[in-house]
Structures are given as C-alpha cells and as structure tokens.
Amino acid sequence: MNDLMTFSKINIEPAERSKIHEIDFNNLVFGRKFSDHMFVMEYEHGEWNEPVIKPYGPIEVTPALNTLHYGQAIFEGMKAFYVDENTINIFRPDVHHERLNNSARRMDIPETDYDIFITALEELMKLDHQFVPKQFGTSLYIRPFIFASDDLLAARSSTKFSYYIITSPVGTYYSEGFAPVSLTTTDEYVRAVSGGTGEAKTAGNYAASFLPAKKAVQDGYTQVLWLDATEHKYIEEVGTMNIHFLIGDTLVTPELTGSILPGVTRRSVTALAVEWGYNVEERRISIDEVFKASENGELKEVFGSGTAAVISPVGLIHHKGSTINIGTGKIGDFAKRLFDEITGIQYGKLEDPYGWIHSVEI
Ligand code: COI
C-alpha cells in the first residue's frame, strides 16, 4: 500500500451547540438526522493530509466536482450499539475497513489507514455518545465515504479526494420492521456484471438500482431480487442486503462471483451457521431451484442480511408471473436465532467469542 500516513491524534473542533434536542429517539427514520460531529480528511498531491473532526454541516463543492459527473465515490455502512452508560460497541470495524480499501482499489481511489479509521470512530463515539440510541433495535449508523474532489470535467481518475465519516441514529431500515419483506425479480434490468463494480460499495451501483427498485415498489414489492446479468438465472443479492436460503438443513448463500457485495453480516451469518453445525454451501443457486424447493416443501426459510437490514425475513418471492410464499408470515426459527445471536453480541448481551466487537469506553 502506498500513500498511507499514520496520525496518532486527530484535531477536534467541537460543535458550539448540540443538535441532540432535534432527535426524536422514539421515531428514528433511517439516515434522516445526524450527530454533532464528522470526520474529514483530504487527499492531495499524492498523500492524505491531516485529519480533523469538526461540526457536522454542509460542504461547499464546485459544479465541476468529478464525483457529481462521474461517480468516483465509495462508502461503507456500519453500526455502533449502546451497551451501558460507559460503553459503545462497534461491530466489525476491521472488516468494514478492509472492504472500504477493496472498494477503493476497484474505483482507483487511494486507500486509507486503519489506525486513523479506528481512532476517528473512537473519537466520534466519545464526542457524540448521546446520539447512540438506547432502545433495542436502534443503533448509531456510521457512514464512512470517500469521493473524488477534482474540480475538472476531464473523464479520468481524480487527483484529489475527500474522506468523511458521518453518523446517524437509526431504527429499522425497512418500514416493515421485523416483518417479512417481499421480493420480485426483473428481466428488464441487471444490477452488476462480473468484472464490473458489483463487489465494490460504490455510488453508481445504488443509483443504477433505484429505478428498478421504484418499479418493484409500485408493483407492491419491497425490493428487487437481482439475478445474474448473463443468464438471468442465478440469484445474486437484493441491493440493500445479501440473501440466504435454508433448504432442508442446508444454508445456501449465493457465492461471491465478483458482481455481489461481500456483506459483513453475510459473513457473520455463514460463520454462525458453520459453528451451529448446519451444512453451509456458498454456491450458485438458481431462481428455479428455489421455486422447486418451495414446491417440494424443502424451502424452510429465506432471509436477507446486511448492516442496515440486520436479518430481514423474506415472506414472498415473485418471478415471471409466479409467486411463492415462504413460511408463515413471521420470521423463521433459524433467522430468529441468527438475529438474536448477532444482536446479542452487538448490544453486549452475549459473549463475543469471534472478536467481532470493538468496544469504546466513553
Ligand atoms: C448497509 O447495509 O449499510 C448499506 O449500505 C445498505 C444501504 C443502506 C445502502
């Protein structure tokens, strides 16, 4: 790795007035309200400059900003959890940072240093600990992102980048809460192709999915279940989460083919299933196989996994005019066990034998 510099301390400009009174902790809408501070670091002349934590607020950009035109931008989605008045737990920051750097490499964005990342997160947690909601099911969503900041219309990699971390108190991602969501495939659009940017967490992947997602909602479904771009046959992911199928006693998860985002919760789900003695298969799984398993009564559960979505049961899948209903309209036992274990570890109620938690003393 080139261009990395380590800073032992981050300069902090504290906010003069807190916005904590603007937060309605009983009605948290995903990503609507933000904490008092944000982390900022700029890249210029081939190196990252001094980082700073300052009051959250608007940023001034020029109309020729590279990102606005060409989308050379990446992000992460992570969460921190209230444990007690002295402790906040951040879930798997090392793995999220590793993925941020993987996305950076694919998008020709300079990599960043883990020491700065974790120090920034610790400082933000200490400064803005009041924004970490206390109720079970809520958390502080952490959004690190890096975008090209050259002020130039040439269509090529930027030479300047801006790196931010903002945080937002959140409740559940889907309006369904913990109730099963419904998915539909589409043969009109694809999300990503192997060799493209599907496995990077980059802005354009999401922008490209908005129209199909809007159409899915108009048709009465929560989200699109993406199939592979070549054969329109194999299941990939849901765009806002990865997907898993419990067929008999086997947990089948679409394998990472280059066009699927390697989810951190996805990784936690498969690790737990192995630990619990399930057969775990990461392989290609076709939509036909899922429909057949449903017909044969072997399809026990379908659920999504993601930082925002946590574990999200799927109650219905629509494909080419046919629909299958999964389970009883409630979360299945296996998905519930995963949800309980993962959230138990996150909120510090269960032991963390896997080293997934980074605790911050506040
Ligand atoms: C996440 O799960 O953190 C995501 O990034 C999904 C979505 C909110 C874009």
Side-chain angles (χ1 to χ4, degrees):
M1 259 194 291
N2 294 321
D3 306 324
L4 296 188
M5 291 175 74
T6 303
F7 299 87
S8 55
K9 199 159 172 292
I10 299 173
N11 285 324
I12 296 173
E13 291 169 28
E16 277 174 19
R17 213 171 309 124
S18 177
K19 295 188 289 9
I20 192 72
H21 62 276
E22 292 178 15
I23 311 291
D24 178 356
F25 283 101
N26 293 317
N27 286 301
L28 292 171
V29 178
F30 186 89
R32 185 60 54 81
K33 295 281 182 187
F34 299 92
S35 311
D36 284 338
H37 297 90
M38 63 185 182
F39 165 89
V40 186
M41 185 158 71
E42 303 289 345
Y43 182 92
E44 205 178 356
H45 306 306
E47 61 181 17
W48 286 108
N49 296 325
E50 287 264 340
V52 61
I53 288 178
K54 57 185 190 181
Y56 178 93
I59 53 179
E60 195 170 278
V61 297
T62 79
L65 191 85
N66 172 305
T67 298
L68 298 181
H69 302 269
Y70 307 119
Q72 193 182 12
I74 56 172
F75 67 96
E76 268 304 311
M78 326 171 32
K79 275 181 178 169
F81 300 85
Y82 178 88
V83 178
D84 57 41
E85 58 190 17
N86 301 314
T87 319
I88 292 169
N89 277 352
I90 307 176
F91 190 63
R92 308 194 76 174
D94 49 345
V95 183
H96 280 284
H97 184 263
E98 191 182 297
R99 190 172 65 178
L100 184 68
N101 272 344
N102 291 342
S103 300
R105 279 194 296 279
R106 175 63 184 86
M107 297 306 292
D108 200 24
I109 289 173
E111 290 177 47
T112 60
D113 187 272
Y114 185 66
D115 283 347
I116 297 174
F117 181 75
I118 200 69
T119 307
L121 293 178
E122 286 176 353
E123 296 293 351
L124 286 171
M125 293 309 116
K126 287 178 191 163
L127 277 166
D128 288 338
H129 63 89
Q130 287 186 84
F131 286 81
V132 184
K134 298 189 175 68
Q135 257 176 289
F136 180 77
T138 63
S139 56
L140 189 75
Y141 188 74
I142 302 171
R143 173 54 66 89
F145 59 105
I146 307 178
F147 60 91
S149 42
D150 260 359
D151 178 14
L152 175 76
L153 289 183
R156 54 135 176 84
S157 276
S158 188
T159 60
K160 292 190 202 159
F161 294 88
S162 301
Y163 174 17
Y164 281 71
I165 304 177
I166 57 175
T167 66
S168 166
V170 297
T172 56
Y173 184 69
Y174 293 117
S175 55
E176 284 88 342
F178 205 33
V181 297
S182 57
L183 305 178
T184 180
T185 62
T186 164
D187 48 18
E188 208 177 338
Y189 304 100
V190 296
R191 176 185 172 274
V193 291
S194 270
T197 58
E199 65 183 353
K201 210 160 169 61
T202 183
N205 290 344
Y206 293 81
S209 71
F210 291 163
L211 175 67
K214 190 153 95 179
K215 289 190 172 182
V217 170
Q218 280 162 358
D219 291 341
Y221 305 99
T222 318
Q223 277 277 342
V224 174
L225 176 62
W226 293 106
L227 301 181
D228 76 280
T230 320
E231 296 178 69
H232 269 247
K233 190 169 160 190
Y234 297 102
I235 294 169
E236 301 235 304
E237 57 156 279
V238 180
T240 48
M241 57 185 188
N242 294 110
I243 188 97
H244 309 265
F245 302 88
L246 185 65
I247 301 179
D249 282 336
T250 302
L251 178 70
V252 185
T253 302
E255 70 178 343
L256 300 175
T257 53
S259 52
I260 298 175
L261 187 82
V264 176
T265 314
R266 174 189 182 279
R267 190 160 152 174
S268 312
V269 162
T270 50
L272 288 174
V274 168
E275 183 73 21
W276 294 340
Y278 283 84
N279 301 320
V280 175
E281 295 178 0
E282 284 191 42
R283 62 169 172 83
R284 299 189 100 187
I285 175 165
S286 69
I287 187 76
D288 290 345
E289 178 181 342
V290 170
F291 271 59
K292 268 200 199 97
S294 170
E295 272 166 35
N296 300 340
E298 287 170 354
L299 184 64
K300 304 290 180 222
E301 295 183 32
V302 181
F303 57 91
S305 67
T307 296
V310 196
I311 299 293
S312 183
V314 174
L316 175 158
I317 299 176
H318 174 263
H319 173 62
K320 285 190 195 285
S322 303
T323 296
I324 52 170
N325 289 293
I326 304 128
T328 56
K330 290 206 196 107
I331 186 165
D333 292 344
F334 181 65
K336 177 80 169 72
R337 186 176 176 198
L338 284 166
F339 178 85
D340 289 346
E341 185 73 21
I342 292 172
T343 54
I345 292 173
Q346 289 173 329
Y347 290 96
K349 306 271 182 244
L350 296 178
E351 251 185 70
D352 169 30
Y354 315 104
W356 289 346
I357 292 301
H358 182 94
S359 287
V360 182
E361 295 304 311
I362 52 172

